[in-house]
């Protein structure tokens, strides 16, 4: 059964989508300790069934693995989904600026015109579609003029290969430069209860120009999903293994935070994770809260947050508890 999902619009494009989106970075396995393709396909389909239609992916998530999973999951259901994918992290060329190594491949930040066209074609093949709803510059490239990048994106839009243009990991100054050359429909940035920097930086400019904000890491890599077992270990290349936010001391701090909010959670009849996602949507800073999932139950739980109505009092109490317990985590 579909939840009573809140809806939103992706900026000037007019594309309507769910206010909660499914993030597929972890499905690609890279930096998340591996992945299970079959479970990921089921999770994507469960998201659609539960009312989440924005599916966010990128070529860099497993060097194409995440996009291929999305393409498989959407066979026969493409019209139900709003696909957001990205360009600008490349391994087919060594142009641009070296960024990191993934599975033995050097990956570069590069947003040159011909490279974007190449990336778009490769993404279309992996996604098994002839158009991308929202095409996002993943990381910015200091070696290519924004005018060249935007010109390529606008041409792809004219060709019908993309419907809307987005940017990610961008400064207000760079976003303003993009806007000089044409409409930007969305900006994707990190945003959660403990990552609120864009409220004072990028969000005001987005509001002024009708740029929808897609907030990624809405649960702070799972930190805000609920109390974490002190004995849990993050293995392999899982980035949380070396992230100081997941220290034993922070887990104890988070336990106290969640205990303080348990009466509110019980009254709302939701999980802690759903309450945090609902907070993200209710704040009004982001149009879409992107939430990662690798299995069916996670996807269904995240989608359920779309029907949670916090109200002003719950919002006030959550903010107060965060200020009291979580300020040292930021």
């Amino acid at each position: 059964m579909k939840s009573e999902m809140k809806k939103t619009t992706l900026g000037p494009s007019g594309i309507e989508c769910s206010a909660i989106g499914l993030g597929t970075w972890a499905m690609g396995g890279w930096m998340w300790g591996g992945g299970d393709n079959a479970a990921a396909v089921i999770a994507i389909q469960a998201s659609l069934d539960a009312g989440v239609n924005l599916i966010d992916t990128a070529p860099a998530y497993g060097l194409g693995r995440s996009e291929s999973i999305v393409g498989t999951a959407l066979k026969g259901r493409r019209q139900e989904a709003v696909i957001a994918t990205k360009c600008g992290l490349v391994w087919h060329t060594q142009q641009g600026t070296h960024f990191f190594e993934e599975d033995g491949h050097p990956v570069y930040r590069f947003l040159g015109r011909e490279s974007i066209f190449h990336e778009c074609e490769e993404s279309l093949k992996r996604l098994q579609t002839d158009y991308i709803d929202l095409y996002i510059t993943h990381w910015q490239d200091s070696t290519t003029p924004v005018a060249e990048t935007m010109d390529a994106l606008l041409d792809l839009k004219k060709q019908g290969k993309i419907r809307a243009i987005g940017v990610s990991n961008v400064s207000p100054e760079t976003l303003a430069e993009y806007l000089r050359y044409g409409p930007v429909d969305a900006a994707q940035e990190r945003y959660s209860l403990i990552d609120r920097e864009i409220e004072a930086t990028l969000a005001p400019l987005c509001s002024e120009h009708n740029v929808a904000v897609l907030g990624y890491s809405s649960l702070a890599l799972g930190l805000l999903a609920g109390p974490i077992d002190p004995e849990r270990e993050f293995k392999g290349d899982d980035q949380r293994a070396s992230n100081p936010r997941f220290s034993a001391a922070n887990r104890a701090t988070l336990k106290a935070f969640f205990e303080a909010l348990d009466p509110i959670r019980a009254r709302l009849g939701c999980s802690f994770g759903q309450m945090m996602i609902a907070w993200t949507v209710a704040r009004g800073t982001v149009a879409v809260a992107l939430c990662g999932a690798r299995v069916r139950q996670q996807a269904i739980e995240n989608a359920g947050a779309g029907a949670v109505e916090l109200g002003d009092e719950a919002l006030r109490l959550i903010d107060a508890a965060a200020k009291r317990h979580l300020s040292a985590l930021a």
Side-chain angles (χ1 to χ4, degrees), residues 22-24 26-27 40 43 47 291-300 302:
L22 174 64
T24 66
M27 290 179 182
S47 291
C291 307
R294 286 195 276 190
V295 298
R296 179 177 181 275
Q297 189 52 47
Q298 288 174 337
I300 292 172
N302 291 347

Side-chain angles (χ1 to χ4, degrees), residues 59-168:
Y61 301 163
L63 298 181
R65 180 180 177 184
S66 174
E67 283 189 324
S68 295
I69 290 169
V70 171
T72 298
L74 295 182
K75 278 184 180 178
R77 304 187 67 175
R78 173 65 182 93
Q79 298 305 316
E80 297 178 49
V82 175
I83 298 176
T85 194
K86 306 177 186 75
C87 60
L89 293 186
V90 301
W91 59 95
H92 69 280
T93 178
Q94 295 188 356
Q95 293 175 275
T97 305
H98 181 263
F99 195 20
F100 54 76
E101 301 282 324
E102 182 177 350
D103 195 27
H105 295 271
V107 177
Y108 292 78
R109 294 190 194 188
F110 185 56
L111 288 166
R113 179 182 176 83
E114 296 307 317
S115 181
I116 288 175
F117 291 159
H118 171 82
E119 281 201 87
C120 184
E121 292 301 324
E122 293 299 303
S123 289
L124 290 170
K125 290 175 190 174
R126 288 189 290 260
L127 292 165
Q128 301 182 50
T129 185
D130 57 2
Y131 69 96
I132 293 162
D133 295 287
L134 176 63
Y135 204 39
I136 302 167
T137 57
H138 200 160
W139 285 84
Q140 303 311 306
D141 165 29
S142 62
T143 70
T144 302
V146 168
E148 178 182 336
T149 299
M150 193 62 167
D151 184 64
L153 296 172
L154 290 169
D155 277 353
L156 287 173
K157 193 173 177 182
K158 288 176 187 175
Q159 294 168 16
K161 293 183 178 179
I162 69 174
R163 296 176 65 200
I165 294 169
V167 296
S168 185

Side-chain angles (χ1 to χ4, degrees), residues 14-74:
I15 297 172
E16 186 179 80
C17 67
S18 52
I20 294 171
L22 174 64
T24 66
W25 178 14
M27 290 179 182
W30 172 61
M31 293 185 73
W32 288 91
D36 181 329
N37 288 17
V41 167
I42 292 170
I44 293 169
Q45 293 170 342
S47 291
L48 288 177
D49 293 339
V52 170
N53 72 340
L54 179 67
I55 313 297
D56 179 81
T57 187
Y61 301 163
L63 298 181
R65 180 180 177 184
S66 174
E67 283 189 324
S68 295
I69 290 169
V70 171
T72 298
L74 295 182

